[in-house]
Each structure stands twice: as C-alpha cells, then as structure tokens.
Amino acid sequence: NNLRFTGDDHFMWSGDYPHGASTWPNSAKSITKETSGCNLSEATVRKLTLTNVANLYGIDLDEVAQPSPAIKELLKS
C-alpha cells in the first residue's frame, strides 16, 4: 500500500482505467471490495474517492450536492 509512503492526499480511486474496464454502475460495490481488508479509515476512502479529485479540479462539493436549476425546474412540473 503506497499510502504509507506518500499519504492519502496524493491518490484517487479510478473506476475506468484502463478505459473499457469501467466499474459503472457497480462502482460503490467495487470500492467496498477493493478497500475491504486494507485497514483504511472512512475518511481515507472518502479522500480517495471524492475529496482529492474535487480539490484537484476545484469542485465545490457543497454546490454540486444540490440539484442544478434545470433539474429543480423539472421537479416542480
């Protein structure tokens, strides 16, 4: 496990590499399977699967947690 050498700020989980080997729509199951038995905390798994990529690309997780205005409008109908 390379995390012990570099820390959990430097890795991201990928569900589509190599391309064509996508785990969708079973990504959550894949993450659970791949991280079980690795002695990783929930916080580390969250960093590897969510917050590290959000930080890299400048994604505001609070903002994207809300439905887009277009979806909100559809839900009103």
Side-chain angles (χ1 to χ4, degrees):
N1 169 332
N2 289 325
L3 296 178
R4 66 182 175 205
F5 300 114
T6 61
D8 57 6
D9 292 325
H10 303 283
F11 288 94
M12 293 178 283
W13 179 83
S14 172
D16 69 345
Y17 185 83
H19 301 297
S22 177
T23 61
W24 186 89
N26 299 306
S27 298
K29 288 179 186 174
S30 293
I31 291 165
T32 300
K33 181 179 176 183
E34 291 176 19
T35 60
S36 66
C38 293
N39 227 10
L40 299 177
S41 68
E42 274 188 50
T44 295
V45 173
R46 182 173 170 84
K47 285 178 102 175
L48 298 174
T49 59
L50 179 67
T51 55
N52 286 350
V53 72
N55 291 336
L56 177 67
Y57 290 108
I59 297 169
D60 182 335
L61 293 174
D62 291 328
E63 184 176 333
V64 299
Q66 304 301 316
S68 73
I71 291 177
K72 282 183 184 179
E73 200 58 39
L74 283 173
L75 294 174
K76 287 181 185 178
S77 308

